[in-house]
mmCIF file of all heavy atoms in Angstrom:
data_model
loop_
_atom_site.group_PDB
_atom_site.id
_atom_site.type_symbol
_atom_site.label_atom_id
_atom_site.label_comp_id
_atom_site.label_asym_id
_atom_site.label_seq_id
_atom_site.Cartn_x
_atom_site.Cartn_y
_atom_site.Cartn_z
ATOM 1 N N PRO A 473 72.999 73.352 143.813
ATOM 2 C CA PRO A 473 72.142 73.871 144.888
ATOM 3 C C PRO A 473 72.506 73.215 146.223
ATOM 4 O O PRO A 473 72.313 73.834 147.245
ATOM 5 C CB PRO A 473 70.797 73.532 144.430
ATOM 6 C CG PRO A 473 70.935 72.518 143.268
ATOM 7 C CD PRO A 473 72.310 72.753 142.729
ATOM 8 N N PHE A 474 72.947 71.914 146.175
ATOM 9 C CA PHE A 474 73.386 71.229 147.407
ATOM 10 C C PHE A 474 74.589 70.446 146.892
ATOM 11 O O PHE A 474 74.689 70.020 145.743
ATOM 12 C CB PHE A 474 72.317 70.288 147.966
ATOM 13 C CG PHE A 474 71.133 71.013 148.495
ATOM 14 C CD1 PHE A 474 70.004 71.223 147.723
ATOM 15 C CD2 PHE A 474 71.149 71.580 149.803
ATOM 16 C CE1 PHE A 474 68.937 71.984 148.217
ATOM 17 C CE2 PHE A 474 70.062 72.238 150.292
ATOM 18 C CZ PHE A 474 68.987 72.393 149.519
ATOM 19 N N GLN A 475 75.508 70.164 147.892
ATOM 20 C CA GLN A 475 76.669 69.408 147.558
ATOM 21 C C GLN A 475 76.345 67.889 147.658
ATOM 22 O O GLN A 475 76.924 67.142 146.854
ATOM 23 C CB GLN A 475 77.807 69.762 148.516
ATOM 24 C CG GLN A 475 78.277 71.211 148.254
ATOM 25 C CD GLN A 475 79.087 71.723 149.506
ATOM 26 O OE1 GLN A 475 78.908 71.322 150.569
ATOM 27 N NE2 GLN A 475 79.903 72.721 149.169
ATOM 28 N N VAL A 476 75.494 67.527 148.613
ATOM 29 C CA VAL A 476 75.235 66.129 148.904
ATOM 30 C C VAL A 476 73.771 65.911 148.989
ATOM 31 O O VAL A 476 73.020 66.719 149.565
ATOM 32 C CB VAL A 476 75.904 65.681 150.238
ATOM 33 C CG1 VAL A 476 75.459 64.216 150.560
ATOM 34 C CG2 VAL A 476 77.422 65.815 150.135
ATOM 35 N N LEU A 477 73.308 64.768 148.376
ATOM 36 C CA LEU A 477 71.897 64.334 148.471
ATOM 37 C C LEU A 477 71.932 63.090 149.237
ATOM 38 O O LEU A 477 72.530 62.110 148.861
ATOM 39 C CB LEU A 477 71.284 64.113 147.102
ATOM 40 C CG LEU A 477 69.960 63.421 147.061
ATOM 41 C CD1 LEU A 477 68.883 64.225 147.701
ATOM 42 C CD2 LEU A 477 69.570 63.058 145.608
ATOM 43 N N LEU A 478 71.166 63.116 150.344
ATOM 44 C CA LEU A 478 71.099 61.927 151.164
ATOM 45 C C LEU A 478 69.778 61.189 150.831
ATOM 46 O O LEU A 478 68.657 61.774 150.980
ATOM 47 C CB LEU A 478 71.093 62.335 152.714
ATOM 48 C CG LEU A 478 71.224 61.257 153.794
ATOM 49 C CD1 LEU A 478 72.353 60.365 153.495
ATOM 50 C CD2 LEU A 478 71.354 61.994 155.146
ATOM 51 N N LEU A 479 69.887 59.984 150.402
ATOM 52 C CA LEU A 479 68.714 59.219 149.874
ATOM 53 C C LEU A 479 68.452 57.972 150.635
ATOM 54 O O LEU A 479 69.041 56.911 150.314
ATOM 55 C CB LEU A 479 69.025 59.037 148.419
ATOM 56 C CG LEU A 479 67.755 58.585 147.517
ATOM 57 C CD1 LEU A 479 67.949 58.907 146.051
ATOM 58 C CD2 LEU A 479 67.356 57.107 147.657
ATOM 59 N N PRO A 480 67.559 58.083 151.619
ATOM 60 C CA PRO A 480 67.162 56.841 152.321
ATOM 61 C C PRO A 480 66.091 56.089 151.417
ATOM 62 O O PRO A 480 65.201 56.633 150.886
ATOM 63 C CB PRO A 480 66.385 57.372 153.538
ATOM 64 C CG PRO A 480 66.447 58.854 153.483
ATOM 65 C CD PRO A 480 66.867 59.251 152.174
ATOM 66 N N ILE A 481 66.442 54.757 151.231
ATOM 67 C CA ILE A 481 65.586 53.951 150.409
ATOM 68 C C ILE A 481 64.124 53.972 150.902
ATOM 69 O O ILE A 481 63.161 54.047 150.180
ATOM 70 C CB ILE A 481 66.081 52.464 150.323
ATOM 71 C CG1 ILE A 481 67.409 52.471 149.607
ATOM 72 C CG2 ILE A 481 65.079 51.577 149.655
ATOM 73 C CD1 ILE A 481 67.353 52.845 148.152
ATOM 74 N N ASN A 482 64.046 53.799 152.192
ATOM 75 C CA ASN A 482 62.685 53.771 152.776
ATOM 76 C C ASN A 482 62.695 54.548 154.131
ATOM 77 O O ASN A 482 63.108 53.967 155.142
ATOM 78 C CB ASN A 482 62.208 52.368 153.023
ATOM 79 C CG ASN A 482 60.762 52.325 153.594
ATOM 80 O OD1 ASN A 482 60.224 53.351 153.925
ATOM 81 N ND2 ASN A 482 60.273 51.109 153.795
ATOM 82 N N TYR A 483 62.311 55.796 154.050
ATOM 83 C CA TYR A 483 62.492 56.650 155.249
ATOM 84 C C TYR A 483 61.557 56.225 156.399
ATOM 85 O O TYR A 483 61.793 56.658 157.519
ATOM 86 C CB TYR A 483 62.228 58.125 154.873
ATOM 87 C CG TYR A 483 62.729 59.079 155.880
ATOM 88 C CD1 TYR A 483 64.086 59.279 156.168
ATOM 89 C CD2 TYR A 483 61.795 59.927 156.562
ATOM 90 C CE1 TYR A 483 64.551 60.212 157.097
ATOM 91 C CE2 TYR A 483 62.255 60.849 157.548
ATOM 92 C CZ TYR A 483 63.629 60.983 157.770
ATOM 93 O OH TYR A 483 64.058 61.872 158.716
ATOM 94 N N LYS A 484 60.544 55.394 156.090
ATOM 95 C CA LYS A 484 59.596 54.990 157.158
ATOM 96 C C LYS A 484 60.230 53.882 157.977
ATOM 97 O O LYS A 484 59.852 53.630 159.106
ATOM 98 C CB LYS A 484 58.310 54.461 156.517
ATOM 99 C CG LYS A 484 57.472 55.611 156.031
ATOM 100 C CD LYS A 484 56.037 55.228 155.740
ATOM 101 C CE LYS A 484 55.970 54.093 154.646
ATOM 102 N NZ LYS A 484 54.645 53.959 154.183
ATOM 103 N N ASP A 485 61.301 53.271 157.372
ATOM 104 C CA ASP A 485 62.002 52.178 158.161
ATOM 105 C C ASP A 485 62.807 52.850 159.231
ATOM 106 O O ASP A 485 63.656 53.677 159.006
ATOM 107 C CB ASP A 485 62.892 51.439 157.169
ATOM 108 C CG ASP A 485 63.775 50.326 157.814
ATOM 109 O OD1 ASP A 485 64.608 50.660 158.673
ATOM 110 O OD2 ASP A 485 63.431 49.188 157.475
ATOM 111 N N LYS A 486 62.558 52.417 160.458
ATOM 112 C CA LYS A 486 63.107 53.086 161.673
ATOM 113 C C LYS A 486 64.683 53.117 161.635
ATOM 114 O O LYS A 486 65.242 54.099 161.919
ATOM 115 C CB LYS A 486 62.608 52.401 162.935
ATOM 116 C CG LYS A 486 61.132 52.757 163.262
ATOM 117 C CD LYS A 486 61.105 54.112 163.818
ATOM 118 C CE LYS A 486 59.651 54.762 163.919
ATOM 119 N NZ LYS A 486 58.554 54.038 163.328
ATOM 120 N N ALA A 487 65.246 51.965 161.307
ATOM 121 C CA ALA A 487 66.696 51.862 161.315
ATOM 122 C C ALA A 487 67.270 52.769 160.249
ATOM 123 O O ALA A 487 68.241 53.520 160.499
ATOM 124 C CB ALA A 487 67.119 50.406 161.032
ATOM 125 N N ILE A 488 66.727 52.779 159.090
ATOM 126 C CA ILE A 488 67.185 53.634 157.999
ATOM 127 C C ILE A 488 67.043 55.049 158.400
ATOM 128 O O ILE A 488 67.957 55.952 158.206
ATOM 129 C CB ILE A 488 66.460 53.305 156.622
ATOM 130 C CG1 ILE A 488 66.782 51.930 156.194
ATOM 131 C CG2 ILE A 488 66.728 54.380 155.622
ATOM 132 C CD1 ILE A 488 66.076 51.483 154.902
ATOM 133 N N GLN A 489 65.885 55.398 158.907
ATOM 134 C CA GLN A 489 65.594 56.794 159.296
ATOM 135 C C GLN A 489 66.642 57.314 160.269
ATOM 136 O O GLN A 489 67.164 58.363 160.279
ATOM 137 C CB GLN A 489 64.238 56.951 159.889
ATOM 138 C CG GLN A 489 63.883 58.377 160.214
ATOM 139 C CD GLN A 489 62.426 58.553 160.602
ATOM 140 O OE1 GLN A 489 62.106 59.277 161.607
ATOM 141 N NE2 GLN A 489 61.523 57.950 159.880
ATOM 142 N N LYS A 490 66.947 56.435 161.290
ATOM 143 C CA LYS A 490 67.864 56.793 162.345
ATOM 144 C C LYS A 490 69.272 57.131 161.801
ATOM 145 O O LYS A 490 69.851 58.172 162.037
ATOM 146 C CB LYS A 490 67.998 55.659 163.444
ATOM 147 C CG LYS A 490 68.936 55.952 164.544
ATOM 148 C CD LYS A 490 68.601 55.058 165.772
ATOM 149 C CE LYS A 490 69.528 55.333 166.972
ATOM 150 N NZ LYS A 490 70.940 54.881 166.676
ATOM 151 N N VAL A 491 69.744 56.206 160.938
ATOM 152 C CA VAL A 491 71.055 56.435 160.379
ATOM 153 C C VAL A 491 71.052 57.702 159.450
ATOM 154 O O VAL A 491 71.982 58.497 159.486
ATOM 155 C CB VAL A 491 71.508 55.212 159.515
ATOM 156 C CG1 VAL A 491 72.696 55.513 158.697
ATOM 157 C CG2 VAL A 491 71.673 54.065 160.478
ATOM 158 N N SER A 492 70.026 57.844 158.721
ATOM 159 C CA SER A 492 69.897 58.969 157.840
ATOM 160 C C SER A 492 69.869 60.312 158.583
ATOM 161 O O SER A 492 70.654 61.278 158.289
ATOM 162 C CB SER A 492 68.636 58.917 156.925
ATOM 163 O OG SER A 492 68.634 57.736 156.203
ATOM 164 N N ASP A 493 69.064 60.349 159.609
ATOM 165 C CA ASP A 493 68.954 61.595 160.371
ATOM 166 C C ASP A 493 70.319 61.954 161.064
ATOM 167 O O ASP A 493 70.694 63.136 161.046
ATOM 168 C CB ASP A 493 67.889 61.477 161.484
ATOM 169 C CG ASP A 493 66.439 61.535 160.871
ATOM 170 O OD1 ASP A 493 66.356 61.949 159.693
ATOM 171 O OD2 ASP A 493 65.512 61.274 161.566
ATOM 172 N N GLU A 494 70.962 60.933 161.610
ATOM 173 C CA GLU A 494 72.235 61.232 162.258
ATOM 174 C C GLU A 494 73.269 61.649 161.246
ATOM 175 O O GLU A 494 74.032 62.590 161.556
ATOM 176 C CB GLU A 494 72.695 59.884 162.949
ATOM 177 C CG GLU A 494 71.947 59.681 164.228
ATOM 178 C CD GLU A 494 72.247 58.339 164.919
ATOM 179 O OE1 GLU A 494 73.088 57.566 164.321
ATOM 180 O OE2 GLU A 494 71.591 57.996 165.945
ATOM 181 N N LEU A 495 73.305 61.004 160.068
ATOM 182 C CA LEU A 495 74.276 61.445 159.084
ATOM 183 C C LEU A 495 73.968 62.889 158.569
ATOM 184 O O LEU A 495 74.830 63.637 158.360
ATOM 185 C CB LEU A 495 74.270 60.493 157.944
ATOM 186 C CG LEU A 495 75.302 60.650 156.803
ATOM 187 C CD1 LEU A 495 76.721 60.664 157.374
ATOM 188 C CD2 LEU A 495 75.176 59.441 155.810
ATOM 189 N N TYR A 496 72.679 63.130 158.446
ATOM 190 C CA TYR A 496 72.239 64.473 157.956
ATOM 191 C C TYR A 496 72.742 65.549 158.970
ATOM 192 O O TYR A 496 73.287 66.568 158.500
ATOM 193 C CB TYR A 496 70.675 64.402 157.934
ATOM 194 C CG TYR A 496 70.023 65.767 157.639
ATOM 195 C CD1 TYR A 496 70.313 66.406 156.376
ATOM 196 C CD2 TYR A 496 69.023 66.373 158.466
ATOM 197 C CE1 TYR A 496 69.637 67.556 156.010
ATOM 198 C CE2 TYR A 496 68.393 67.477 158.177
ATOM 199 C CZ TYR A 496 68.752 68.132 156.883
ATOM 200 O OH TYR A 496 68.086 69.285 156.571
ATOM 201 N N GLN A 497 72.538 65.290 160.215
ATOM 202 C CA GLN A 497 73.026 66.297 161.218
ATOM 203 C C GLN A 497 74.490 66.329 161.329
ATOM 204 O O GLN A 497 75.121 67.430 161.401
ATOM 205 C CB GLN A 497 72.421 65.923 162.618
ATOM 206 C CG GLN A 497 70.980 66.357 162.757
ATOM 207 C CD GLN A 497 70.230 65.690 163.923
ATOM 208 O OE1 GLN A 497 70.853 65.122 164.803
ATOM 209 N NE2 GLN A 497 68.945 65.701 163.856
ATOM 210 N N ALA A 498 75.174 65.230 161.166
ATOM 211 C CA ALA A 498 76.651 65.159 161.292
ATOM 212 C C ALA A 498 77.234 65.955 160.106
ATOM 213 O O ALA A 498 78.230 66.751 160.297
ATOM 214 C CB ALA A 498 77.155 63.771 161.263
#
Side-chain angles (χ1 to χ4, degrees):
Chain A
F474 294 95
Q475 295 162 333
V476 174
L477 167 66
L478 189 52
L479 194 156
I481 292 295
N482 180 356
Y483 194 66
K484 285 194 298 192
D485 180 292
K486 286 286 168 349
I488 292 176
Q489 183 172 137
K490 181 161 179 291
V491 171
S492 301
D493 285 351
E494 285 171 2
L495 188 52
Y496 177 59
Q497 280 162 19

